[in-house]
Amino acid sequence: MFLQKIKPFLYLGIFYLTISLALRLIFIFHPITTAEFSFVDIVEILMIGILNDSLVFILTCPFLALYFLFLSDSKYQKPYGHIILGLLAILFLYILVVPNNIFKQYGGSAAEIALAFIGLKIIFFSLMLFLPEKRIKIRNTLYFITVFLYVLLIVFNTVSEYFFYNEFGLRYNFIAVDYLIYTNEVIGNIMESYPVVPMFLAIFAVAAIFTVYIYRKTKVELLVLPNLKQKLILLISFCILVGISLVGLHFTTKIKSDNVFEEEIQANGLPKFYWAFTHNELDYFQFYPVINQQEAEKTFLSQYSTPTLKRNIQPDKPELKKNVVLISIESLSADFMEHYGNTQKITPFLDSLADHSLMFTNLYATGNRTVRGLEALTLCIPPTAGESIIKRENNKNKFTTGSVFKSKGYDVKFLYGGYSYFDNMKDFYEGNGYSIVDRDNFKPEEITFANVWGVADEDMAKKAIQTMNAEAKSGKPFFNHWMTVSNHRPFTYPNGKIDIPGDAKSREGGVKYTDYSLRKFFEMAKKQDWYSNTVFVIIADHCASSAGDTELPMDKYKIPAMIFSEGFIQPQKFTQTMSQIDVMPTLLGLLNFRYQSKFLGQDVFTKDFQPKAYVATYEDLGLIKDNYLTIISPVRKVKQYSLVQQKNNLSPEFNIYFDENPLKEKDQDKQLVNATISAYQSTSYWLKKNMLNR
């Protein structure tokens, strides 16, 4: 009887193992597989592969097991059926009517998806409740849909793995994770590269054929539903099997081979995808163009007056122990400001502050996520392939801006309106000597408004003033890094503060409210005794969008940045190309700090400064220099674009445009290609060897 109840799992399992075996055989004989295998090798690959596939399939079965566990006729009996239907209706109305429900706070389509799911659940539950004579037919329909989704995902994943291997000669890695993150770019690339409509029609057709077969072989099991005892046996069995599978995969995924192709083909793509997602980095030396390491380091370090990684910074003037407040603003693209041509007047305070600041008008963010901006401002190094160092395991005891200030006797803090465990910020900053002030430090009465990302920027501004007042009383100078949150989807903030309603959920409203909050912060700061001895650095973490027609659309990386201090910083504009990693070394230069530096950014006011900028996604690494954009990518690809500077009619600043067609290899500037490889190879090597630690 028990074997009869698990027939759906057996049929789906056989289907999955068969299609995975076929894929593995295709990989063995694929033209990209340049290795030669003996008969024994092939048998070994297939046996390990079948074991991996079996363990992975078991880990996907609990979803189907839950479906069977909740199959019951008793839940439709009075009064249970009406109570359940009432609860579903209340949940539906909660999502539909309550303005700031938990789903809407996440922004995007979360609320719509939840509404659709609960709505369908209500419809089918009502039909089965009020039409008991149709219950079996409805249940069979839902079972068919469930099996179809399982089969469709198996077929779709198989096709995806084939195309991934076809391009990279590997199972899933962090590039596949990147594909999920950059859906617009990836979908666009797929649409242009493959016959999408015929391919998807074929996938659905294959899935439908096998679903009909499995359904016909197993639908009889729904005529007699499992009783409580059978459900308990099913639940316990799957818990045991899942445990065995997790332990088994722990060992099988560690089976290594001297032959990369053998190792990749015998693996299963899903555990590799999970590993890539949790480890967040790509091995530069495996995927990117490389040159001799000594040559790479020599080329990269030649930009410094002392061409070594560890350099003594020795200004002629005495050090200035001024307080420093670094404010990194969420998603503030340069083109939100009037100084860059915007006519919406959504940053009136920042535009007015820029007129009294040292403003960097041609500065580029290193990446397109908050953790990349925080990495650039804290570590001052070029971005590396994969996820930001902030989210990696080896992220502590680095040489940071905070460690420099701490060596000078400063009180060093990271301020964030949300919960700093998000994106691993708490772990990173505490592991590098920063104290944390985040939402956990707020009393209930200190919060006037909050959404899923944290307290409103205005509330955080008040907390920042409170924190700085306490620091000033200690007699120590302070360095505080404040990361704002309000200019982030869902863009909600308290009503009545600006002329855009707080529930309009508009990007422009988020920008304008953050600008308003910063005005309030400076109004409060001016009343404090420490204000006159404080330098403020205001900079975006990244732009609002990174989508574009090319790998690294430069206009989506340009961000505003300024340094302000009344009576100390003279208003001026620095128009040369520079990187986000240059900002803090420049500030330390303005303060005449003496220290041993491992920063890879430069003080832009030194004679050795070379105008350039580093820009990157998770996998594309770029260098903007000498009117060229050079990009290196996995599978050792190199592209180079020629750049042209043109004046923006709405603004006195320069904009940079580039030819969307990459240069042919023979026309590339080889010296800049070498410089790009040298920068990213050297940085990756030093990180790997912990040479950028304190």
Side-chain angles (χ1 to χ4, degrees):
M1 185 67 178
F2 177 69
L3 288 176
Q4 290 294 316
K5 294 302 177 188
I6 64 170
K7 276 179 67 177
F9 301 93
L10 293 176
Y11 275 91
L12 281 170
I14 292 169
F15 173 69
Y16 178 67
L17 293 178
T18 303
I19 200 169
S20 297
L21 175 63
L23 181 65
R24 198 165 272 111
L25 288 169
I26 291 172
F27 287 167
I28 289 174
F29 298 104
H30 195 287
I32 203 172
T33 307
T34 55
E36 294 184 2
F37 303 115
S38 66
F39 177 76
V40 174
D41 291 333
I42 292 175
V43 171
E44 182 182 349
I45 289 170
L46 295 181
M47 293 301 292
I48 296 174
I50 290 171
L51 177 59
N52 276 320
D53 296 339
S54 300
L55 297 174
V56 168
F57 177 73
I58 290 171
L59 290 178
T60 67
C61 283
F63 299 102
L64 189 59
L66 284 173
Y67 170 80
F68 279 99
L69 287 173
F70 282 98
L71 287 178
S72 170
D73 282 325
S74 60
K75 64 185 177 184
Y76 300 108
Q77 296 175 1
K78 294 182 179 180
Y80 307 114
H82 296 84
I83 292 172
I84 294 172
L85 183 61
L87 291 174
L88 288 171
I90 290 170
L91 179 58
F92 185 86
L93 290 173
Y94 165 75
I95 301 171
L96 183 67
V97 176
V98 178
N100 287 315
N101 66 69
I102 190 170
F103 297 99
K104 290 182 179 178
Q105 285 188 16
Y106 277 95
S109 302
E112 288 77 8
I113 293 171
L115 271 177
F117 178 80
I118 300 299
L120 288 172
K121 183 68 178 174
I122 289 173
I123 292 171
F124 283 109
F125 192 90
S126 299
L127 290 172
M128 296 181 78
L129 176 65
F130 298 115
L131 300 173
E133 69 279 4
K134 301 289 186 181
R135 194 172 295 164
I136 292 177
K137 191 172 183 178
I138 297 169
R139 183 178 288 136
N140 284 345
T141 302
L142 292 175
Y143 173 63
F144 182 89
I145 294 171
T146 303
V147 173
F148 176 74
L149 290 175
Y150 251 90
V151 174
L152 180 64
L153 287 172
I154 290 171
V155 176
F156 185 82
N157 177 67
T158 303
V159 174
S160 298
E161 283 208 72
Y162 169 77
F163 281 112
F164 194 86
Y165 188 90
N166 187 61
E167 183 170 357
F168 298 104
L170 299 166
R171 294 280 190 170
Y172 292 144
N173 57 22
F174 197 77
I175 298 173
V177 179
D178 191 29
Y179 282 3
L180 285 185
I181 295 168
Y182 293 97
T183 51
N184 290 338
E185 292 84 347
V186 172
I187 291 172
N189 179 58
I190 291 172
M191 294 292 289
E192 292 179 3
S193 303
Y194 303 106
V196 173
V197 174
M199 186 170 66
F200 274 87
L201 287 175
I203 290 172
F204 274 87
V206 171
I209 291 169
F210 282 99
T211 299
V212 170
Y213 176 78
I214 294 171
Y215 170 75
R216 286 178 176 175
K217 291 291 184 179
T218 60
K219 68 175 182 177
V220 68
E221 308 311 321
L222 298 183
L223 295 175
V224 180
L225 299 180
N227 56 38
L228 181 60
K229 180 181 177 181
Q230 291 171 333
K231 288 182 178 181
L232 286 174
I233 294 173
L234 184 68
L235 179 62
I236 293 170
S237 300
F238 274 109
C239 288
I240 293 171
L241 287 171
V242 166
I244 293 172
S245 298
L246 289 171
V247 173
L249 282 173
H250 177 73
F251 291 102
T252 59
T253 53
K254 291 184 178 179
I255 297 174
K256 302 298 180 184
S257 171
D258 294 333
N259 188 316
V260 174
F261 286 107
E262 181 177 341
E263 190 175 312
E264 291 293 324
I265 295 172
Q266 70 191 16
N268 184 287
L270 295 179
K272 289 181 71 67
F273 181 90
Y274 175 78
W275 188 93
F277 188 82
T278 54
H279 284 73
N280 301 331
E281 58 185 298
L282 285 170
D283 185 342
Y284 179 91
F285 296 92
Q286 182 180 358
F287 294 103
Y288 292 84
V290 294
I291 59 177
N292 176 271
Q293 184 60 34
Q294 289 184 331
E295 179 189 341
E297 292 183 25
K298 182 179 179 182
T299 300
F300 182 69
L301 293 172
S302 65
Q303 64 186 295
Y304 308 109
S305 57
T306 305
T308 58
L309 177 58
K310 195 172 188 178
R311 303 174 304 281
N312 287 319
I313 309 298
Q314 298 287 343
D316 296 330
K317 298 177 182 178
E319 288 187 346
L320 301 171
K321 292 291 183 69
K322 289 182 175 290
N323 305 309
V324 175
V325 178
L326 167 61
I327 305 174
S328 45
I329 304 175
E330 173 68 45
S331 305
L332 187 71
S333 302
D335 56 16
F336 287 142
M337 291 183 62
E338 189 173 0
H339 275 76
Y340 294 89
N342 189 289
T343 58
Q344 297 172 293
K345 298 189 183 301
I346 53 177
T347 58
F349 174 69
L350 287 175
D351 277 307
S352 66
L353 192 68
D355 291 332
H356 300 90
S357 303
L358 163 59
M359 186 179 184
F360 304 106
T361 63
N362 202 14
L363 187 148
Y364 292 85
T366 58
N368 40 36
R369 288 205 58 214
T370 295
V371 284
R372 273 296 186 207
L374 295 177
E375 173 191 271
L377 294 168
T378 305
L379 301 177
C380 305
I381 62 173
T384 50
E387 185 59 274
S388 164
I389 293 165
I390 289 174
K391 297 184 72 173
R392 298 182 192 174
E393 292 180 8
N394 184 22
N395 66 359
K396 298 175 178 61
N397 301 312
K398 302 298 182 188
F399 183 79
T400 66
T401 50
S403 66
V404 174
F405 281 108
K406 207 155 195 176
S407 71
K408 302 295 181 182
Y410 278 65
D411 194 341
V412 175
K413 286 187 174 68
F414 177 69
L415 285 65
Y416 181 65
Y419 295 109
S420 58
Y421 63 77
F422 178 76
D423 263 351
N424 210 42
M425 290 183 285
K426 182 180 179 69
D427 178 69
F428 172 75
Y429 280 106
E430 285 188 340
N432 285 287
Y434 288 67
S435 298
I436 304 287
V437 177
D438 67 1
R439 187 167 177 172
D440 283 329
N441 297 98
F442 280 77
K443 299 174 183 176
E445 61 270 19
E446 293 178 320
I447 302 175
T448 63
F449 185 92
N451 62 21
V452 67
W453 290 108
V455 304
D457 283 345
E458 191 179 1
D459 290 339
M460 189 65 238
K462 294 174 184 175
K463 174 62 76 173
I465 294 295
Q466 182 187 108
T467 301
M468 294 168 198
N469 285 342
E471 290 170 322
K473 288 179 181 178
S474 72
K476 294 171 63 177
F478 57 79
F479 167 61
N480 289 335
H481 184 168
W482 168 21
M483 179 70 223
T484 72
V485 300
S486 290
N487 183 29
H488 195 298
R489 191 176 300 279
F491 311 118
T492 55
Y493 45 86
N495 279 314
K497 302 294 183 177
I498 58 173
D499 56 5
I500 302 175
D503 52 4
K505 297 185 179 179
S506 72
R507 166 72 72 178
E508 291 74 19
V511 172
K512 195 164 188 176
Y513 175 72
T514 292
D515 182 84
Y516 164 87
S517 300
L518 291 174
R519 180 189 295 276
K520 292 298 180 183
F521 170 76
F522 274 88
E523 287 175 356
M524 290 184 285
K526 283 184 179 181
K527 299 174 183 177
Q528 313 307 320
D529 293 336
W530 47 262
Y531 174 79
S532 60
N533 191 44
T534 302
V535 181
F536 300 90
V537 182
I538 301 97
I539 183 171
D541 62 343
H542 58 85
C543 282
S545 170
S546 60
D549 296 329
T550 60
E551 300 93 333
L552 295 170
M554 290 175 51
D555 59 319
K556 302 300 176 67
Y557 283 79
K558 197 169 191 178
I559 57 173
M562 63 193 82
I563 299 177
F564 171 81
S565 181
E566 286 188 28
F568 173 53
I569 298 295
Q570 296 302 310
Q572 62 174 301
K573 290 181 179 178
F574 185 86
T575 60
Q576 295 186 67
T577 301
M578 61 181 288
S579 172
Q580 203 172 20
I581 73 173
D582 298 323
V583 173
M584 295 311 288
T586 300
L587 172 74
L588 297 175
L590 293 171
L591 295 174
N592 303 319
F593 271 23
R594 291 171 174 77
Y595 62 103
Q596 282 195 324
S597 177
K598 288 187 179 179
F599 293 143
L600 303 182
Q602 288 185 284
D603 178 350
V604 300
F605 292 114
T606 60
K607 65 180 188 306
D608 304 308
F609 173 67
Q610 295 182 11
K612 64 188 176 305
Y614 303 100
V615 292
T617 63
Y618 284 85
E619 56 182 87
D620 296 311
L621 308 174
L623 174 67
I624 302 168
K625 188 177 181 183
D626 297 341
N627 295 322
Y628 288 94
L629 168 62
T630 308
I631 302 172
I632 56 176
S633 304
V635 201
R636 295 177 170 80
K637 294 179 183 176
V638 178
K639 287 186 180 180
Q640 194 172 78
Y641 299 87
S642 133
L643 306 178
V644 179
Q645 282 195 332
Q646 296 183 5
K647 211 96 176 224
N648 182 338
N649 294 329
L650 297 175
S651 169
E653 317 306 337
F654 284 99
N655 279 351
I656 294 182
Y657 300 87
F658 59 94
D659 187 344
E660 293 184 1
N661 297 312
L663 298 172
K664 295 179 179 179
E665 185 177 355
K666 64 182 178 63
D667 297 325
Q668 291 178 353
D669 186 317
K670 303 302 180 186
Q671 190 172 353
L672 285 176
V673 171
N674 192 61
T676 306
I677 295 170
S678 296
Y680 288 109
Q681 179 177 326
S682 298
T683 305
S684 299
Y685 179 81
W686 291 330
L687 281 169
K688 192 174 184 178
K689 298 296 183 180
N690 293 320
M691 295 171 69
L692 295 177
N693 286 14
R694 293 201 293 270

